[in-house]
Amino acid sequence: MERVLITGGSRGIGKAIARKFKEEGYEVITPSRQELNLSDMSSIEDYVLAQKYQQPFDVIINNAGCNDIHLVEDITDEELLGMINVNLVAPIRLLRGLIGPMKKQKYGRIVNIASIWAVVSKAGRCVYSATKNGLHGVTNTLAVELAEYNILVNTVCPGFTLTELTRKNNTAEEIAQISKDIPLGRMAEPEEIAKVVYFLASKENTYLTGQKIVVDGGFSEK
Ligand code: NAP
């Protein structure tokens, strides 16, 4: 059975990705924050060490992320370093620790979840956009570095997505207002992001690597 590691699988887009892989018959590993705290470098090292005696992952989805929205002059050092660590440093450390066995088995798929704010931007997203653009830089390099091992690496950039958090942070009127700016006239369901991630990470994908796939209902085209 193929094994997939999904970070941030407790809710939102990560939960939908986990559900999709389960439906497709994968062994799905979604560590809780207690098992793998991406803000804590020693937690990442411990997690990587514990994988040494396990079957290698066939698929790694770097999905967990955080987004503190502030104008540049209001960003605290804690928020700056927190976002850089979770959104950028942690995926690199995780891949650094887990890529060896994937290379040995000469098969792997990696999907990094960035954001529409790595395609266009908006006030208040300085650090978030920087980290998500940085994450796509990881995709660019690893696509080249790992191609000879039959490991394909891509970035998915979700647009506005109707997760529990989006519903909590926005009223129905606000969601309707944002939807007016989206050519398809609505936000994405998490499942619509999950099926694109699944394709990129499946055996069906044999030639697509190093790409930024934007799933935003046409938002960034306006
Ligand atoms: P979410 O509902 O905010 O959930 C975030 C997930 O990341 C949770 O599972 C959370 O775990 C985990 N996480 C955060 N910090 C962590 C840490 N230090 N250690 C371990 N796990 C941590 O996420 P989402 O909205 O579904 O977004 C998923 C990804 O898509 C993120 O990378 C986000 O930037 C990106 N994205 C989202 C949208 C959107 O509209 N929702 C749009 C574009 C891009 P806990 O349960 O332990 O908190």
Side-chain angles (χ1 to χ4, degrees), residues 35-151:
E35 295 165 306
L36 173 60
N37 182 352
L38 298 168
S39 309
D40 175 354
M41 296 313 147
S42 63
S43 169
I44 300 176
E45 297 313 314
D46 291 348
Y47 188 80
V48 162
L49 271 179
Q51 296 309 307
K52 221 174 161 180
Y53 305 102
Q54 304 282 333
Q55 195 190 316
F57 290 113
D58 302 285
V59 178
I60 298 173
I61 313 285
N62 285 307
N63 164 75
C66 53
N67 182 9
D68 295 304
I69 301 168
H70 293 295
L71 295 180
V72 66
E73 64 266 36
D74 298 326
I75 299 163
T76 65
D77 274 349
E78 199 186 346
E79 288 163 343
L80 170 62
L81 298 175
M83 274 188 274
I84 290 174
N85 276 333
V86 173
N87 296 356
L88 184 57
V89 176
I92 297 171
R93 288 204 169 202
L94 213 48
L95 291 171
R96 178 179 72 182
L98 299 175
I99 209 68
M102 202 185 247
K103 280 167 83 169
K104 263 197 200 124
Q105 72 179 6
K106 286 217 167 244
Y107 178 84
R109 299 286 182 267
I110 296 165
V111 179
N112 293 319
I113 307 298
S115 165
I116 193 63
W117 306 130
V119 181
V120 292
S121 202
K122 190 175 177 181
R125 270 71 174 183
C126 168
V127 183
Y128 184 71
S129 278
T131 60
K132 294 299 192 179
N133 274 292
L135 189 59
H136 185 58
V138 174
T139 295
N140 290 146
T141 301
L142 295 193
V144 176
E145 202 170 300
L146 301 174
E148 66 179 290
Y149 302 96
N150 189 24
I151 300 174

Side-chain angles (χ1 to χ4, degrees), residues 107 109 150 152 154 199-200 202-209:
Y107 178 84
R109 299 286 182 267
N150 189 24
L152 277 51
N154 289 286
F199 167 74
L200 293 169
S202 73
K203 288 211 160 95
E204 285 294 300
N205 177 20
T206 52
Y207 204 63
L208 209 161
T209 193

Side-chain angles (χ1 to χ4, degrees), residues 4-30 59-64 111-114 156-158 161 163-164 189-202:
V4 51
L5 171 66
I6 305 168
T7 64
S10 65
R11 52 196 157 91
I13 294 171
K15 195 173 175 183
I17 297 171
R19 211 165 33 235
K20 175 70 180 161
F21 275 93
K22 262 182 213 144
E23 281 165 18
E24 299 291 341
Y26 281 67
E27 182 190 348
V28 177
I29 292 106
T30 52
V59 178
I60 298 173
I61 313 285
N62 285 307
N63 164 75
V111 179
N112 293 319
I113 307 298
V156 168
C157 294
T161 307
T163 59
E164 302 92 310
E189 293 296 334
E191 291 71 22
E192 293 179 296
I193 310 298
K195 61 186 176 188
V196 176
V197 172
Y198 176 73
F199 167 74
L200 293 169
S202 73

